[in-house]
């Protein structure tokens, strides 16, 4: 069995600016994060994915890097990174950096040199053209081409004009980036989350994308992105990057794959490589867009498993810094939140938890005046911006909720005291305590981390039922995704098998008692349970 740490892992995604402020400027930082490692240890996570922390003019909050070797001063210093790695590792927690390789900031020295003249050494580090060669649009508004006075040419930017796209067809660019990657690997970073990694190579002749008929607020969504994304050659580049990673033990790559809505699992899986030689993990966001029903979630999960196959890991995500918070989608219903958590934590592959998800944190309310996100600023009210899912973590009861003594850079969510860690610690049945127990259940059971997953077709459309199997060991997971009581017969679910059931775990406290036998299962509204299946003794058959 391949025992690489990311199989079955639980990875906690931290938007550093919003996690914990340590110096009273209203902005979260690395020292603050360091002070919260014990909380993360107790939660039981294996690794932390940190949103970008490299030097940046913050046009897109770190996704516009001006120096890959320097830490953004408001977030901390290189000494803080050393301390973080050391302290996290002491607690057996790994650190993953967010890495933006598709573009840099326009303040990066490479771009400054590239724009200075067509003859500069870095002239081909970015993608330049004498005129606008195609219809490509920027994801944050306007055309993807901006004229640069000093060079007298247009440059390509898939996002803001302050985020010029690197020219990955130039080997010198790839080599310079690999050198930087090695620097961080030497320093002890356990892996990278790769921003929009399927965008790195563009069509060689810069052909225009086909248009989509319809009306969408963002012109970017009115094109089929076949020439500015997913070019075949990008796979070869990712394989090169993978071989750099493989020079070091136990390092992991997880890639963001920008896809058409509501998700393309087959595309995300294609970046794992036919020979498992590209990314270790990739993101597909279908679940975040799916309706919270048994049939939708089953459809999404089956498709993801089919796309990844038995030798590659799917990864599971409910929300992130670009998406609305999952809690708001289910209107904070605690039963639904527990059920969703149980679903994720009983899947094969890697589970990603966005900070605050374990508290059921809802979206913050951010009015246009307070908005920082360039996407929200451009498209409000059609797009309400991404700040709403980037609000401060809520630690304690009282002013500032333990995040900062100063006014936080984004507003704290409404009812923050209720959601706070302090409050949920006081309540045995809280969502936070549920996450702790469910993560411990997963981590303590190789069937749940590694076992094969098969879905069982139930007659009852409200039930989502699946089995996890590893060797002779089996777990049965039954989720009632409805607001009514539902029953099913264990004997019908696994026909031909003689089983006894031992109730291991349930989202509802009253369901936690041990229960053996073959009797019908009754599930309360939004209840989910995990059963340990044990072959019934032959003796009982003959008796
Ligand atoms: C995807 C990131 O998740 C998003 O936050 C960012 O704005 C874009 N890539 C551009 O880097």
């Amino acid at each position: 069995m391949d025992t690489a740490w990311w199989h079955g892992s639980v990875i906690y995604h931290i938007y550093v600016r919003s996690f914990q402020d340590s110096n009273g400027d209203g902005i979260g930082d690395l020292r603050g994060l360091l002070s919260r490692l014990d909380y993360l240890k107790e939660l039981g996570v294996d690794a932390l994915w940190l949103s970008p922390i490299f030097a940046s003019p913050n046009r897109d909050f770190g996704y516009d890097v001006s120096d890959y070797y320097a830490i953004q001063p408001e977030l901390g210093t290189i000494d803080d990174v050393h301390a973080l790695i050391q302290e996290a590792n002491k607690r057996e927690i790994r650190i993953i950096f967010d890495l933006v390789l598709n573009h840099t900031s326009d303040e990066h020295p490479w771009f400054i040199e590239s724009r200075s003249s067509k003859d500069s050494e870095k002239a081909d580090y970015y993608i330049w053209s004498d005129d606008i060669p195609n219809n490509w649009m920027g994801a944050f508004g306007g055309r993807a081409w901006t004229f640069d006075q000093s060079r007298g040419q247009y440059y390509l930017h898939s996002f803001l004009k302050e985020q010029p796209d690197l020219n990955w067809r130039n080997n010198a660019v790839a080599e310079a980036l690999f050198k930087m990657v090695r620097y961080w690997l030497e320093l002890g970073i356990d892996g990278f989350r790769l921003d929009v990694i399927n965008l790195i190579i563009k069509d060689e002749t810069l052909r225009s994308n086909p248009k989509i008929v319809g009306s969408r607020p963002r012109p970017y969504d009115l094109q089929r992105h076949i020439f500015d994304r997913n070019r075949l050659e990008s796979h070869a580049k990712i394989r090169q990057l993978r071989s750099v990673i493989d020079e070091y033990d136990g390092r992991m790559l997880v890639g963001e794959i920008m896809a058409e809505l509501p998700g393309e699992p087959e595309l995300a899986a294609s970046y794992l490589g036919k020979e498992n030689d590209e990314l270790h993990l990739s993101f597909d966001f279908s679940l975040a867009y799916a309706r919270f029903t048994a049939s939708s979630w089953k459809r999404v999960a089956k498709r993801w498993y089919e796309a990844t196959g038995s030798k590659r890991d799917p990864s599971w995500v409910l929300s992130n810094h670009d998406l609305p918070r999952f809690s708001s989608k289910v209107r904070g219903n605690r039963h639904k939140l527990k059920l969703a958590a149980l679903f994720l934590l009983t899947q094969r592959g890697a589970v990603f938890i966005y900070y605050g998800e374990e508290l059921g944190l809802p979206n913050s309310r951010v009015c246009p005046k307070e908005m920082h996100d360039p996407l929200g600023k451009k498209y409000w009210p059609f797009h309400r911006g991404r700040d709403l899912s980037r609000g401060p973590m809520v630690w304690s009861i009282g002013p500032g909720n333990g995040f900062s003594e100063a006014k936080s850079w984004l507003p704290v969510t409404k009812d923050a005291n209720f959601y706070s860690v302090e409050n949920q610690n006081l309540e045995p049945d809280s969502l936070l305590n549920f996450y702790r127990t469910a993560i411990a259940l997963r981590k303590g059971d190789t069937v749940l981390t590694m076992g094969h997953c098969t879905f069982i077709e139930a007659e009852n459309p409200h039930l989502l039922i699946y089995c996890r199997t590893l060797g002779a060991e089996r777990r049965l997971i039954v989720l009632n995704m409805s607001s009514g009581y539902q029953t099913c017969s264990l004997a019908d679910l696994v026909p031909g098998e003689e089983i006894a059931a031992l109730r291991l775990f349930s989202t509802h406290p009253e369901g936690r008692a041990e229960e053996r036998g073959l009797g019908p299962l009754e599930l309360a509204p939004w209840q989910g349970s995990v059963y340990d299946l044990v072959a019934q003794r032959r003796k009982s058959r003959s008796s």
Side-chain angles (χ1 to χ4, degrees):
M1 191 156 49
D2 176 359
T3 54
W5 65 265
W6 51 87
H7 298 307
S9 60
V10 178
I11 301 177
Y12 192 83
H13 171 193
I14 296 181
Y15 199 74
V16 180
R17 292 179 69 83
S18 298
F19 197 61
Q20 176 66 65
D21 176 18
S22 74
N23 60 355
D25 63 359
I27 296 172
D29 47 46
L30 294 171
R31 284 271 145 202
L33 163 52
L34 197 73
S35 71
R36 295 297 184 182
L37 286 177
D38 287 335
Y39 167 82
L40 297 163
K41 175 72 187 162
E42 200 193 337
L43 186 58
V45 301
D46 300 292
L48 311 178
W49 149 25
L50 272 48
S51 56
I53 59 165
F54 298 148
S56 163
N58 272 347
R59 296 298 184 139
D60 188 19
F61 294 93
Y63 288 97
D64 47 329
V65 176
S66 52
D67 185 349
Y68 289 106
Y69 293 90
I71 304 300
Q72 174 76 343
E74 63 195 349
L75 302 182
T77 64
I78 191 70
D79 288 341
D80 298 338
V81 173
H82 285 291
L84 182 65
I85 295 175
Q86 204 180 16
E87 287 301 314
N89 289 356
K90 259 193 220 161
R91 292 166 178 80
E92 293 174 22
I93 296 177
R94 295 178 159 83
I95 302 289
I96 295 170
F97 276 2
D98 208 318
L99 197 58
V100 190
L101 299 178
N102 177 67
H103 46 270
T104 66
S105 157
D106 62 345
E107 293 182 27
H108 193 288
W110 293 345
F111 188 70
I112 295 174
E113 190 176 336
S114 191
R115 79 178 349 165
S116 69
S117 130
K118 288 180 196 161
D119 304 318
S120 76
E121 208 192 298
K122 304 275 187 299
D124 293 332
Y125 262 50
Y126 296 83
I127 301 167
W128 294 94
S129 172
D130 288 334
D131 43 30
I132 296 179
N134 56 32
N135 66 353
W136 298 356
M137 303 299 295
F140 294 157
R143 279 189 176 275
W145 297 94
T146 290
F147 188 71
D148 181 68
Q149 290 291 352
S150 48
R151 179 151 159 164
Q153 280 186 309
Y154 292 86
Y155 65 91
L156 176 70
H157 51 90
S158 297
F159 296 90
L160 294 173
K161 68 176 177 25
E162 293 85 1
Q163 293 169 295
D165 281 38
L166 285 161
N167 177 14
W168 270 80
R169 289 184 184 276
N170 176 354
N171 285 335
V173 169
E175 283 311 319
L177 291 170
F178 294 161
K179 184 173 160 210
M180 173 271 294
V181 163
R182 285 195 182 92
Y183 169 83
W184 289 110
L185 292 170
E186 296 284 342
L187 208 116
I189 290 303
D190 295 291
F192 300 100
R193 176 267 186 189
L194 303 171
D195 192 59
V196 294
I197 196 64
N198 59 325
L199 267 62
I200 55 174
I201 295 273
K202 279 76 181 178
D203 181 51
E204 198 157 18
T205 54
L206 304 175
R207 281 171 284 182
S208 281
N209 286 323
K211 289 188 190 134
I212 295 175
V213 186
S215 87
R216 306 251 178 95
R218 189 168 72 151
Y220 183 80
D221 297 320
L222 286 170
Q223 295 184 359
R224 210 164 294 293
H225 292 275
I226 58 175
F227 292 118
D228 55 353
R229 287 186 198 165
N230 303 319
R231 303 309 296 163
L232 208 55
E233 302 96 311
S234 57
H235 292 275
K237 296 292 175 194
I238 294 173
R239 278 195 293 276
Q240 279 178 18
L241 176 58
R242 169 66 178 268
S243 59
V244 172
I245 296 289
D246 285 348
E247 291 166 15
Y248 302 79
D249 272 347
R251 313 303 169 96
M252 189 272 276
L253 291 176
V254 50
E256 182 200 25
I257 309 301
M258 204 173 176
E260 303 293 340
L261 296 182
E264 294 178 86
E266 297 75 17
L267 178 73
S270 75
Y271 282 95
L272 303 175
K274 286 198 188 85
E275 305 298 326
N276 283 346
D277 52 358
E278 296 185 32
L279 306 171
H280 299 97
L281 299 171
S282 60
F283 289 126
D284 168 62
F285 300 110
S286 304
L287 202 63
Y289 290 104
R291 288 176 56 228
F292 190 60
T293 63
S295 58
S296 301
W297 275 40
K298 183 165 74 181
R299 201 176 319 116
V300 164
K302 281 176 88 169
R303 202 172 147 194
W304 200 193
Y305 278 124
E306 269 157 33
T308 44
S310 61
K311 296 211 171 63
R312 304 181 300 178
D313 286 341
S315 30
W316 304 93
V317 189
L318 293 177
S319 54
N320 68 21
H321 64 298
D322 294 329
L323 300 170
R325 283 190 171 271
F326 182 73
S327 175
S328 293
K329 180 167 166 176
V330 296
R331 295 167 189 239
N333 181 320
R334 192 194 288 183
H335 291 311
K336 293 186 188 176
L337 292 170
K338 286 184 180 176
L339 198 63
L342 186 62
F343 173 87
L344 255 69
L345 291 164
T346 52
Q347 298 304 322
R348 186 170 66 75
V351 173
F352 287 79
I353 299 175
Y354 186 44
Y355 79 99
E357 211 158 75
E358 76 280 20
L359 306 176
L361 207 66
N363 292 331
S364 312
R365 288 189 191 162
V366 183
C367 62
K369 234 178 34 242
E370 295 167 309
M371 200 167 302
H372 290 73
D373 175 29
L375 191 62
K377 281 184 177 168
K378 173 88 186 170
Y379 289 114
W380 201 89
F382 301 108
H383 193 302
R384 285 164 56 226
R386 299 170 297 175
D387 288 343
L388 47 84
S389 61
R390 299 175 178 179
M393 178 71 173
V394 291
W395 298 101
S396 53
I397 298 167
N401 295 97
F403 168 69
S404 177
E405 284 161 12
K407 186 174 184 293
S408 52
W409 77 287
L410 282 176
V412 178
T413 193
K414 196 169 155 269
D415 298 328
N417 291 344
F418 169 76
Y419 291 108
S420 68
V421 173
E422 183 180 351
N423 192 37
Q424 299 206 31
N425 276 342
L426 297 172
E427 200 196 328
D429 196 29
S430 66
L431 182 66
L432 173 59
N433 281 324
F434 179 80
Y435 261 93
R436 287 178 177 137
T437 325
I439 293 173
L441 176 81
R442 176 181 182 83
K443 304 309 298 178
D445 187 357
T446 40
V447 185
L448 292 181
T449 47
M450 309 292 277
H452 181 68
C453 183
T454 33
F455 286 85
I456 294 174
E457 300 306 324
E459 270 176 28
N460 185 331
H462 300 299
L463 296 178
L464 177 53
I465 305 175
Y466 46 100
C467 245
R468 303 289 311 280
T469 308
L470 189 69
E473 293 227 39
R474 287 177 38 96
R475 310 279 176 264
L476 177 75
I477 296 103
V478 185
L479 309 181
N480 173 9
M481 297 183 76
S482 80
S483 55
Y485 281 84
Q486 306 293 341
T487 54
C488 62
S489 141
L490 208 48
D492 289 347
L493 294 180
V494 268
E497 280 189 76
E498 292 181 324
I499 51 169
L502 164 63
R503 180 167 290 188
L504 266 187
F505 187 76
S506 171
T507 52
H508 286 39
E510 66 275 17
R512 275 191 197 132
E514 269 193 9
E515 199 185 72
R516 283 171 194 278
L518 284 161
L521 304 177
E522 178 165 284
L523 288 108
W526 311 112
Q527 181 177 358
S529 295
V530 181
Y531 304 89
D532 189 4
L533 299 182
V534 189
Q536 211 181 22
R537 272 180 277 147
R538 299 245 158 230
K539 214 171 108 227
S540 58
R541 184 195 251 179
S542 48
S543 61

